[in-house]
Structures are given as C-alpha cells and as structure tokens.
Amino acid sequence: MRVGMLSSWDMEDPSSWSGVVLPACQSLAEKVELVPLQVPKIRDSMVDRFLTRLLGLLKITYLPGDSFATSFRKARAVKKLLNQHQVDVVVSFAAAKESLGVPAHIPLVQIADSSFKAIVKAYFKHHKVSRLTLFQGAMLDRWVARRSDYFCVASEWSAQQLINDNGVSPEAIRVLPFGPGTSPVSGPLGSKSTDPGIAVLFIASNWARKGGERALKSFRKARLVRPELTLTVVGALPLVTEIDGVKFLPRQTREELSSLYRSHHLLLEPTEASAGGVVVTDALNHGLPVLSTLVGGIPTLVRPGETGWLVSPDNAVEEMAELLVTLTPAELTRVSAAAEQDAGQRLTWENWSKGMLEVCEKLAPK
C-alpha cells in the first residue's frame, strides 16, 4: 500500500512540530510504502500579506494560513503535486487547509491538533484575532471536515472539539496519542539526584501559554515550606531570572532534554492549553511524573494518582504548591515507575503507526 504523507513541515527535520513529524514518518514507513508529499513553499497571497501588516498595526492578529486566498493557492499546488504521484491514501500531517487540493477520489486522513475554533480559543487567548480570520478559518475547517474521510487525533479532547465544532462523526475519528518527540537516550546520562530535595523541571516554548508565572508562583510558595526544592526552567524566560532555587537554561538539544528528564523528579506543566502534550509524553516516556493543569488533551496522557497529578486551572498555583510540599520521594519513585511502564505500553510510535496502518487499510481501495 502506497501512503502519501502530506505536510508543510519539513519531514526530515527532527524538530518539526515539537519533534513528532520525523518519528511519525519513520514509524509508518516501516509498515507501508510511504511517499513524502512536501507542500510546496508558497508565499502568502498579496491581500493576506497586506491584511497581516495592516491589522498588526492595530494589534489585531490576522492568520494568513487560515484565509481563503492563501489556502486555495496552496491547495492548487497540492493538487499539482498529487498529479505526479500514485498513492492509495493521503495522510495530511497538520496540513488540513492544504489538503483541500487532494483529488476527491483519493481517501484522505487528517492528523490534526483539533478544530480551528478550539485551537484559536486555547492558543490565542492572549491575542485579539480578527473577525475575518475567525470567519474564514471556521469555514475552511468545515470544508476540510466534509472532504476528509477520517481524523486521527492525539486526545479525547481533540476528538470532542471536532465533533462539536465541525460535526465530524465519532465513527470517523480515532484517538491515537503520539509517541515521544524526545526519546530516552540510552546509557548513564541524567541519573536522578540522591539528595533529599526534589528537582522540578519546567519546559516552556511560550511563557504565557505554558503557564510560566504559575510555575514560578507555585514553586516560590512551596519553597517557603520546603526549602530543599529546586526548579529548572528550560526555553522561554521571564523578565527576572535571579530567583532563589531556580536555574534557567536556554533551549536544549534532544539529547540534553533527555538527560534533564532523567535527572529530575517531577515535570511541572501549569499550561493554559494543550492538544497533544508532546512535552508531557516525553516526560512520561522517561519515567518522569507529571504535575499538570487539567486542560485539553492532558487527561488522555496522565493517569491521576498513577502517573502524575492533575489540578484545576482555576486554582493551579495553590494546588500545585500544596503537592510540591507534600509529595514524598517514595511516592515520586512509585509514580515514576508507573509512568514509564504506562507510557511504554500506550504512548509509543509503534502503537501510533499500528493504528494509522489500520485506518489506511480500512480506507484504501480494495
């Protein structure tokens, strides 16, 4: 079976889409004849470039990738691309709008974060998004839903948004959590400290959305009672970086991240939004328990009390601080073992690719 993998992301770049695109392609390529379909790089339409600049001056966010003009330009390029290849199924990897160019006779599977409406609400809450973007994005999303034969998403939350917002049938959706973007590095790197203190890890690509201030507030509050706590912050940084007990690191390589996952006792994830939770998946695969807000797709990944803990987003600072104070080394050790075992059974690329293979076989012409 020849499966075309359509994506705007560089499918050979280990960092694409939080590091999941490359291992996804590699795992699926072990089961099918995978045909990479790289969406041609096409400049946004002139009208969209103009609107982006104009509305930007007014502090309004305009998303050209979710507009009619630019989306249809890319869709036409995809149609030409497909005319050069013979495939049985097309899998669109985060290329929903572009996939509108896939010829109607070819079965189409979407690998998506969620619905456009849900993503804007969750990921752009600190932005004023233009009404034109909201209208065009929602319309394009519905057209994609009607054109697509199947959706594969990383969480029950994502599936429910597609059902609620776009009327996608539950029978046309399968929840397939991703494997890790950062796989555990073999060898002695990053062994956990034997000190009595608890080493907490916080990774943020976007300080506001990932809950950076929540992380610092809950840590400071807990450290007043438990001074042996330490916190390592990776990636995005706050304005003030001189904080007792806190170490700030720039973005890390995959190998360095793996070492950090292994050397810490707990991942702090006070995020405001999460569809697939790649960092959480990475942590669990390394046996690192997760303390997270109960938002988006996190409940698909974290089993409360077994592989981590979930707190209310409305009272995250207080609840996280309390847990940071009361969690014992013995409890963290128990949950660490359970997290690694559970992730090794559920959150793997082998499981993901098996599920994708079943979906593709179901849709491919007999």
Side-chain angles (χ1 to χ4, degrees):
M1 178 171 54
R2 287 172 59 85
V3 175
M5 183 67 87
L6 178 71
S7 185
S8 295
W9 292 94
D10 184 346
M11 287 178 269
E12 296 181 351
D13 183 351
S15 65
S16 288
W17 209 24
S18 300
V20 300
V21 173
L22 178 59
C25 291
Q26 290 174 333
S27 62
L28 190 56
E30 294 174 359
K31 295 177 171 57
V32 301
E33 184 180 349
L34 197 70
V35 181
L37 300 172
Q38 192 72 55
V39 175
K41 292 189 181 300
I42 296 177
R43 198 177 185 190
D44 295 337
S45 73
M46 185 177 296
V47 65
D48 287 330
R49 296 199 305 273
F50 171 75
L51 287 172
T52 299
R53 292 195 207 96
L54 176 63
L55 294 175
L57 294 173
L58 303 174
K59 307 299 182 184
I60 298 174
T61 298
Y62 182 81
L63 303 175
D66 293 292
S67 71
F68 293 158
T70 294
S71 293
F72 292 150
R73 289 185 74 186
K74 293 181 179 180
R76 287 193 292 271
V78 166
K79 184 175 182 179
K80 291 181 180 178
L81 178 65
L82 263 297
N83 289 335
Q84 303 169 21
H85 298 276
Q86 184 69 38
V87 296
D88 299 303
V89 179
V90 168
V91 174
S92 167
F93 207 135
K97 313 298 190 299
E98 296 90 333
S99 71
L100 288 170
V102 175
H105 69 278
I106 303 176
L108 177 60
V109 180
Q110 298 289 345
I111 300 174
D113 262 337
S114 187
S115 70
F116 170 79
K117 182 179 178 180
I119 291 301
V120 168
K121 183 178 179 180
Y123 286 78
F124 289 87
K125 64 188 304 180
H126 298 290
H127 300 255
K128 183 179 180 181
V129 180
S130 78
R131 292 183 180 181
L132 183 57
T133 283
L134 296 176
F135 170 74
Q136 292 184 109
M139 287 297 296
L140 287 164
D141 216 32
R142 294 191 194 101
W143 292 336
V144 168
R146 286 201 291 266
R147 166 61 187 91
S148 303
D149 297 280
Y150 219 90
F151 284 81
C152 292
V153 294
S155 68
E156 280 82 5
W157 174 83
S158 296
Q160 194 60 53
Q161 307 316 305
L162 289 170
I163 295 168
N164 294 345
D165 296 337
N166 294 336
V168 178
S169 169
E171 287 73 31
I173 306 176
R174 182 159 178 178
V175 176
L176 289 174
F178 291 135
T182 299
S183 297
V185 175
S186 59
L189 288 175
S191 59
K192 284 184 173 56
S193 170
T194 57
D195 293 339
I198 292 176
V200 182
L201 179 65
F202 173 64
I203 299 175
S205 56
N206 181 302
W207 184 257
R209 179 173 60 80
K210 293 289 280 186
E213 291 306 313
R214 283 175 171 173
L216 291 182
K217 287 178 181 178
S218 59
F219 173 77
R220 283 168 165 162
K221 191 176 184 67
R223 201 166 190 263
L224 292 174
V225 181
R226 197 173 190 175
E228 69 272 20
L229 284 173
T230 61
L231 175 66
T232 302
V233 176
V234 179
L237 302 178
L239 295 177
V240 178
T241 57
E242 295 294 328
I243 303 172
D244 287 344
V246 182
K247 180 181 181 180
F248 293 94
L249 297 175
R251 293 180 184 272
Q252 303 286 288
T253 65
R254 296 290 165 187
E255 292 76 14
E256 290 167 337
L257 280 174
S258 182
S259 182
L260 288 170
Y261 286 131
R262 285 296 193 197
S263 62
H264 286 72
H265 300 98
L266 183 69
L267 177 75
L268 199 59
E269 182 79 355
T271 183
E272 294 183 349
S274 180
V278 176
V279 169
V280 171
T281 300
D282 290 348
L284 295 171
N285 270 277
H286 284 80
L288 183 62
V290 175
L291 172 53
S292 174
T293 41
L294 200 167
V295 295
I298 297 295
T300 297
L301 307 175
V302 179
R303 299 190 184 281
E306 297 179 25
T307 65
W309 300 268
L310 301 179
V311 303
S312 166
D314 297 327
N315 194 35
V317 171
E318 295 294 329
E319 293 181 32
M320 285 187 162
E322 182 179 353
L323 282 165
L324 289 174
V325 169
T326 57
L327 287 173
T328 66
E331 192 171 9
L332 287 167
T333 298
R334 174 186 64 80
V335 175
S336 173
E340 190 163 13
Q341 181 180 30
D342 181 62
Q345 294 171 348
R346 296 192 304 121
L347 310 178
T348 69
W349 288 116
E350 177 62 20
N351 280 357
W352 181 86
S353 59
K354 280 184 178 178
M356 286 300 304
L357 176 62
E358 291 170 3
V359 170
C360 291
E361 287 180 335
K362 178 179 180 180
L363 297 176
K366 301 298 187 287

